[in-house]
Amino acid sequence: MRQRDIIVNKLETLEARLKSLEFMVRRGSPIPEFLKTIENSTEILSDVKAMIEREEHSSSEINRK
């Protein structure tokens, strides 16, 4: 995987966003704050998916398309 470091970094950022959401629940944050964090998390997830899709498939992988 050529972009392993970038993908791992984005996954760690996503993990931090999930921890932020958990913290927001515990302190009773306003709904718009939740929605913004979820929107940011969704963007990160979309980026990671796109990066993985751009990676070349090995011969042992089954083509899902």
Side-chain angles (χ1 to χ4, degrees):
M1 185 177 280
R2 291 175 294 168
Q3 299 178 352
R4 183 179 309 272
D5 292 339
I6 296 170
I7 291 172
V8 168
N9 187 339
K10 288 197 174 281
L11 288 173
E12 287 173 349
T13 301
L14 185 57
E15 182 179 31
R17 300 270 185 222
L18 291 171
K19 287 180 183 178
S20 293
L21 285 170
E22 184 180 1
F23 180 72
M24 286 182 207
V25 167
R26 292 177 194 263
R27 71 170 193 201
S29 295
I31 291 174
E33 210 174 313
F34 282 104
L35 295 175
K36 184 66 177 167
T37 303
I38 291 170
E39 182 181 328
N40 290 340
S41 300
T42 303
E43 289 173 9
I44 293 168
L45 182 59
S46 179
D47 288 347
V48 170
K49 284 181 171 182
M51 293 169 89
I52 291 171
E53 283 297 317
R54 287 192 299 264
E55 289 291 324
E56 293 181 22
H57 293 276
S58 69
S59 60
S60 62
E61 291 181 284
I62 298 174
N63 190 359
R64 296 186 330 178
K65 293 183 181 180

